[in-house]
């Protein structure tokens, strides 16, 4: 493995004082779907969900997902 993806949605919400329920309501995202992103337990990234998150949070993808390469 060359690295890993870190989902930072929850950190972004906390940092910007945004509630999960408002994200779901304004982004038309199911709460359980958002919860998997917040907990970092999502197993397959969904482009549509990521687009909704970036839109409702008014952020860039790198604000909510980070790639951390393995150290050699």
């Amino acid at each position: 493995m060359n690295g890993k993806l870190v989902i930072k949605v929850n950190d972004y919400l906390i940092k910007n004082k945004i509630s999960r329920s408002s994200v779901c309501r304004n982004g038309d995202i199911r709460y359980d779907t958002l919860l998997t992103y917040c907990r970092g337990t999502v197993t397959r990234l969904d482009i549509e969900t990521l687009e909704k998150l970036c839109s409702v949070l008014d952020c860039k993808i790198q604000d909510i997902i980070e790639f951390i390469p393995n150290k050699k």
Side-chain angles (χ1 to χ4, degrees):
M1 202 148 92
N2 296 327
K4 67 177 184 173
L5 285 177
V6 177
I7 309 297
K8 305 186 302 182
V9 173
N10 200 54
D11 294 338
Y12 189 88
L13 296 179
I14 292 168
K15 178 182 171 186
N16 293 284
K17 298 178 181 166
I18 302 170
S19 73
R20 292 177 184 168
S21 59
S22 70
V23 172
C24 293
R25 187 173 47 254
N26 298 325
D28 192 31
I29 300 170
R30 289 176 40 144
Y31 190 81
D32 61 332
T33 300
L34 178 61
L35 205 53
T36 62
Y37 281 84
C38 287
R39 291 180 175 166
T41 58
V42 63
T43 55
R44 295 197 181 267
L45 297 175
D46 179 67
I47 297 296
E48 184 178 343
T49 301
L50 291 171
E51 289 170 345
K52 287 178 179 181
L53 283 170
C54 287
S55 178
V56 75
L57 297 175
D58 191 28
C59 70
K60 297 178 182 175
I61 193 74
Q62 58 266 33
D63 293 329
I64 58 173
I65 296 178
E66 179 181 3
F67 177 75
I68 300 176
N70 285 338
K71 296 179 181 177
K72 293 184 178 182

